[in-house]
Amino acid sequence: MDKLSQVLKIIPESILENMRKYGINFNDVQEIRIRINQKVIVKCTEFERVLNVVADEKCIARIIELSSNYSLYAYEKEFKNGYITIHGGHRIGIGGHAIEENGHIKNFSAITYLCIRIAHEIIGCSDKIMDFIRRDGIKHTLLVSPPGCGKTTLLRDIIRNISDNDKYNVCLIDERQEIASCYRGIPQNNIGMRTDVLDCCNKSDGLAIAVRSMSPDIIAVDEIGGMEDVEAIKYSIACGAVIIGTIHGTSVNDVKNKAHFKGLISRDYFSKIIVLSKRAGRGTIEECLSC
C-alpha cells in the first residue's frame, strides 16, 4: 500500500478537509504540528500554512489511538523515547505531561502535543556526489548540515547506492528510526539489499554491536552528538569499519570548533566532508572536501 495512505488513516477528516480547502498537496507535506487548543500548522517544502482547525483533546487522543493500533501498552517503549513510528515509516513526536522514574521518562500521563513527520525518500538524490564518495575508494565521510537541509535524506540514499552498487555490507545504526523508518523491524524505505539495521538503538551501543556481530564494511550513523558517540566512532574505525555519518553544523570550521569534535576531521578519521545548506533549496551541496 502507498506509504502516504498509511498516515492519511490517522489524521482526522476535519484536518484533511481543511488541507484540501487550502489546496495543499499532501506529497509536499513535511510536518503536521498539532498543539492542544491551538490551530493546526502544516509545514510544506516551501511554505507553512496555519489551518482553520483547532486541535482538542479528542483529536489528539484519536490520532494516538489509531497510531498505536489501540494498544498503548505495546508502544510503551516508543512513548518513553518521545515518539511512535507507524506503518510507512512516518514518525509522530509526542509531548505533554511526562512521568519520570529514577530520573528518566517512563511514559506520558497526558499527550497534548504532536509532531507528525512525513517520511520522504528521494531515490537517486545522492547520484550527484557518488563520484566524490568513491574517488580513491570509499573512506570515512561526514555530512555537515544545519537542521532541515536534507542530510538524513541524502545519507539514506548514499547507503542505498553503496549497498546496491558497490556490494559492501552496510550496518545502519538507526537510533531515531528516521533513515530506514522501520515498522516492527521492517524497513519502510529503500536502504539497499546489503544493509542491516540496528533499529531504535543508541549510536554508542549500536556501533559496538555492529563491529562485534555484523561484520560490516561500512557503518552509517545519523546526527553524531556527544563525546560518547565520538569515542564509539573512533573505536569502530580502529576495528577497521568505514564510517559514514552526519553532524549538525554550518561549515567545516563550525564542526572543528566544537570541543569534543576536535581532531575528528582529519586523514585518520573523517577525510571526506560534504557540506549542505538550503541556499538553493533543501539538499544544496555547498562543497565537497578531502583532507
Side-chain angles (χ1 to χ4, degrees), residues 22-38:
Y22 282 108
I24 295 172
N25 182 350
F26 208 89
N27 288 292
D28 194 42
V29 175
Q30 302 292 321
E31 291 181 353
I32 301 174
R33 295 275 184 169
I34 298 174
R35 301 175 172 101
I36 190 74
N37 298 329
Q38 299 293 331

Side-chain angles (χ1 to χ4, degrees), residues 2 4 12-13 22 25 30 43 86 107 119 125 129-130 148 158 184 208 211 234 255 262 270 275 282:
D2 180 75
L4 282 179
E13 181 57 33
Y22 282 108
N25 182 350
Q30 302 292 321
K43 181 180 178 182
I86 66 171
N107 210 327
C125 69
I129 58 167
M130 291 310 297
I158 290 171
R184 296 181 178 176
V211 168
K234 289 181 177 180
V255 176
K262 194 161 289 185
F270 289 107
V275 181
R282 281 168 57 91

Side-chain angles (χ1 to χ4, degrees), residues 27 42 97 122 145 183 186 198 244 266 270:
N27 288 292
V42 178
H97 186 80
I122 304 176
S145 166
Y183 176 72
I186 301 172
L198 290 174
I244 299 179
S266 67
F270 289 107

Side-chain angles (χ1 to χ4, degrees), residues 257-277:
N257 288 334
K258 294 175 181 176
H260 49 285
F261 296 138
K262 194 161 289 185
L264 204 59
I265 295 178
S266 67
R267 289 189 179 184
D268 292 329
Y269 295 109
F270 289 107
S271 59
K272 291 186 178 182
I273 316 299
I274 299 166
V275 181
L276 285 76
S277 75

Side-chain angles (χ1 to χ4, degrees), residues 223-279:
E223 296 190 6
I224 300 166
M227 198 65 204
E228 194 174 32
D229 291 350
V230 172
E231 290 303 319
I233 285 169
K234 289 181 177 180
Y235 166 77
S236 300
I237 289 173
C239 292
V242 173
I243 306 294
I244 299 179
T246 74
I247 195 169
H248 281 143
T250 56
S251 66
V252 172
N253 285 334
D254 182 28
V255 176
K256 284 183 173 180
N257 288 334
K258 294 175 181 176
H260 49 285
F261 296 138
K262 194 161 289 185
L264 204 59
I265 295 178
S266 67
R267 289 189 179 184
D268 292 329
Y269 295 109
F270 289 107
S271 59
K272 291 186 178 182
I273 316 299
I274 299 166
V275 181
L276 285 76
S277 75
K278 49 184 173 184
R279 177 178 52 83

Side-chain angles (χ1 to χ4, degrees), residues 67-244:
S67 302
S68 62
N69 295 313
Y70 299 94
S71 178
L72 300 184
Y73 177 78
Y75 285 80
E76 187 173 338
K77 182 181 178 182
E78 290 192 74
F79 279 126
K80 184 169 62 176
N81 290 326
Y83 59 83
I84 304 172
T85 302
I86 66 171
H87 196 195
H90 312 289
R91 195 176 73 167
I92 302 166
I94 61 177
H97 186 80
I99 303 171
E100 285 197 353
E101 187 176 272
N102 299 322
H104 298 283
I105 293 175
K106 179 183 178 182
N107 210 327
F108 285 82
S109 64
I111 297 172
T112 46
Y113 302 90
L114 301 175
C115 174
I116 303 173
R117 298 188 65 178
I118 311 302
H120 291 286
E121 57 180 338
I122 304 176
I123 302 297
C125 69
S126 66
D127 290 353
K128 56 192 173 185
I129 58 167
M130 291 310 297
D131 284 345
F132 170 74
I133 289 175
R134 293 181 175 119
R135 190 181 305 151
D136 302 319
I138 296 175
K139 295 181 170 62
H140 310 301
T141 302
L142 187 64
L143 310 183
V144 177
S145 166
C149 292
K151 67 182 181 305
T152 301
T153 301
L154 184 60
L155 176 63
R156 181 189 301 118
D157 201 59
I158 290 171
I159 294 166
R160 177 200 61 79
N161 227 320
I162 291 172
S163 176
D164 280 347
N165 301 313
D166 294 277
K167 300 182 180 178
Y168 287 120
N169 290 319
V170 180
C171 189
L172 167 62
I173 316 301
D174 201 2
E175 184 172 9
R176 295 179 178 87
Q177 296 184 301
E178 289 186 299
I179 304 175
S181 295
C182 287
Y183 176 72
R184 296 181 178 176
I186 301 172
Q188 304 296 295
N189 290 324
N190 186 346
I191 51 171
M193 67 174 74
R194 297 176 183 85
T195 301
D196 304 305
V197 183
L198 290 174
D199 181 46
C200 213
C201 179
N202 70 69
K203 285 184 284 294
S204 56
D205 288 341
L207 284 158
I209 292 169
V211 168
R212 283 198 308 263
S213 61
M214 300 306 295
S215 298
D217 300 303
I218 294 168
I219 302 176
V221 295
D222 195 19
E223 296 190 6
I224 300 166
M227 198 65 204
E228 194 174 32
D229 291 350
V230 172
E231 290 303 319
I233 285 169
K234 289 181 177 180
Y235 166 77
S236 300
I237 289 173
C239 292
V242 173
I243 306 294
I244 299 179

